Amino acid sequence: MMNIPLSRLTSRRHWIGLACAALCAAGAPLAFAQDYPNKPVKLVVPYPPGGPTDIVARAVAQKLQERLGQPFVIDNKPGAGANLGAEAVARSAPDGYTLVVATTAHAINPALFAKLNYSLTKDFAPISQLTGGPLVIVASPALPANNVAELVALAKSKSGGLNYGSSGNGQSTHLSAELFSAMAGIKMNHVPYKGSAPALTDVMGGQVDLMFDTMLSSMPHVKGGKLKALAVTSAQRSPVAPDLPTVAESGLPGYEAIAWNGLLAPAGTPREVIARLSTELKAVLESPDIRQRFEAQGFAAAWSAPVAYGAFLQAEVDKWAKVVKTSGAKID
């Protein structure tokens, strides 16, 4: 039997140990991802229960729970223009067990608020977009304009301009109209409300001329004859109202403004966990029942890979920053 010096045995054991440690470390993320989730996941919705974002979140949470075998618990945390919930998640442990549903408002807020306690593009890891849907331009039936061209002509001819309502300063219902005005070369007077419902009531009553609003809240009134719809704000027509033209095809090429939801995790969340959630969301958002459920409410299911969703977020932040600056929008 060959005698091996003790020093050489010690050295060999050292390198074998390091090699084993490296292999274990390499396998750890994969094992962690395969084990994820092994406890309930909290899904923060930065809006009150019952609204469009809450509806989307609950539908997605139920499907993820069915697929992953752990509860996905909705935590409604409204306040501060949807910033309260986002800030709470930005400060959470980056382990995949606290997520937030982001919206168009989160892309607008960096330009709208003088100071935010989080960065949308630095403090979060993008997972996927969830939905995308147009707003619809609705007007009082008495307004003498039945399409975008007539609306622009009326705004240019009317002394003092037209009045439009919104769900609040800095909301997508406000800034979508400002983007429209800038591209059309018109001036309209903004009348902010605290929510869409009172604004729509005044449009129906003729106190304000028009509004850019979600299809979910507006289309029932259109179908009931209390409002008339002029166009949708997406790049393509909506399956909810396929006969309604887009703003872009109605004389403002390049115009697009959508309301969207997406899912974010705290920055630093393991890439393997992000990938697992992304894969599961792809299956959820491609399921026929989810697609049909969202389409009935004016949304389109819109899965995107994490990198693509991150690029989309940056583009939205840049886009709305220009609109905020041009409009001079300020938070109440």
Side-chain angles (χ1 to χ4, degrees), residues 55 124 145 147 149 177 246 281:
I55 291 171
F124 294 99
N147 54 52
T246 68
L281 280 171

Side-chain angles (χ1 to χ4, degrees), residues 116-127:
L116 289 180
N117 294 320
Y118 69 90
S119 166
L120 182 66
T121 55
K122 294 179 181 178
D123 292 334
F124 294 99
I127 300 173

Side-chain angles (χ1 to χ4, degrees), residues 68-91:
L68 292 170
Q70 288 291 342
F72 277 70
V73 182
I74 300 296
D75 180 12
N76 294 97
K77 198 179 290 290
N83 289 324
L84 192 63
E87 181 183 344
V89 175
R91 294 179 175 179

Side-chain angles (χ1 to χ4, degrees), residues 96-117:
Y97 288 95
T98 304
L99 311 172
V100 64
V101 180
T103 70
T104 314
H106 293 104
I108 295 171
N109 287 346
L112 193 65
F113 286 81
K115 182 180 180 182
L116 289 180
N117 294 320

Side-chain angles (χ1 to χ4, degrees), residues 29-325:
L30 179 59
F32 181 74
Q34 290 174 340
D35 190 44
Y36 172 86
N38 57 22
K39 62 181 181 180
V41 178
K42 183 165 65 175
L43 201 57
V44 173
V45 177
Y47 294 94
T53 300
D54 184 69
I55 291 171
V56 168
R58 292 180 186 275
V60 170
Q62 179 60 39
K63 284 291 187 179
L64 287 175
Q65 180 170 311
E66 292 171 3
R67 293 184 61 84
L68 292 170
Q70 288 291 342
F72 277 70
V73 182
I74 300 296
D75 180 12
N76 294 97
K77 198 179 290 290
N83 289 324
L84 192 63
E87 181 183 344
V89 175
R91 294 179 175 179
S92 298
D95 55 10
Y97 288 95
T98 304
L99 311 172
V100 64
V101 180
T103 70
T104 314
H106 293 104
I108 295 171
N109 287 346
L112 193 65
F113 286 81
K115 182 180 180 182
L116 289 180
N117 294 320
Y118 69 90
S119 166
L120 182 66
T121 55
K122 294 179 181 178
D123 292 334
F124 294 99
I127 300 173
S128 175
Q129 189 175 340
L130 300 176
T131 65
L135 301 180
V136 57
I137 305 176
V138 291
S140 164
L143 188 74
N146 296 304
N147 54 52
V148 167
E150 291 178 2
L151 177 63
V152 172
L154 180 63
K156 288 181 177 179
S157 68
K158 189 172 182 180
S159 177
L162 297 174
N163 298 320
Y164 74 93
S166 80
S167 57
N169 279 325
Q171 299 295 314
S172 59
T173 54
H174 169 202
L175 295 178
S176 296
E178 290 295 333
L179 178 62
F180 176 90
S181 296
M183 293 182 67
I186 61 174
K187 176 64 179 177
M188 298 195 294
N189 303 310
H190 179 217
V191 183
Y193 291 79
K194 293 188 181 298
S196 288
L200 285 173
T201 297
D202 278 3
V203 174
M204 288 185 278
Q207 283 80 22
V208 292
D209 297 308
L210 67 145
M211 181 178 180
F212 286 56
D213 194 37
T214 64
M215 299 191 77
L216 178 63
S217 55
S218 290
M219 291 309 290
H221 299 299
V222 172
K223 292 176 182 177
K226 296 179 180 179
L227 292 170
K228 61 181 175 183
L230 307 185
V232 292
T233 63
S234 50
Q236 290 83 34
R237 295 192 180 197
S238 168
V240 175
D243 294 332
L244 199 58
T246 68
V247 172
E249 68 180 290
S250 302
L252 288 184
Y255 179 93
E256 181 182 14
I258 64 169
W260 51 264
N261 294 294
L263 197 60
L264 303 172
T269 299
R271 286 177 296 176
E272 293 77 16
V273 170
I274 298 295
R276 178 80 190 277
L277 285 167
S278 174
T279 299
E280 296 298 336
L281 280 171
K282 188 173 190 294
V284 166
L285 295 171
E286 289 180 351
S287 62
D289 56 333
I290 285 290
R291 285 186 172 275
Q292 291 169 7
R293 183 172 179 180
F294 288 171
E295 285 179 3
Q297 298 175 63
F299 308 130
W303 178 85
S304 56
V307 172
Y309 183 44
F312 170 81
L313 288 176
Q314 185 63 63
E316 285 284 284
V317 169
D318 295 343
K319 171 183 178 177
W320 292 115
K322 294 176 182 177
V323 178
V324 169
K325 183 177 180 180

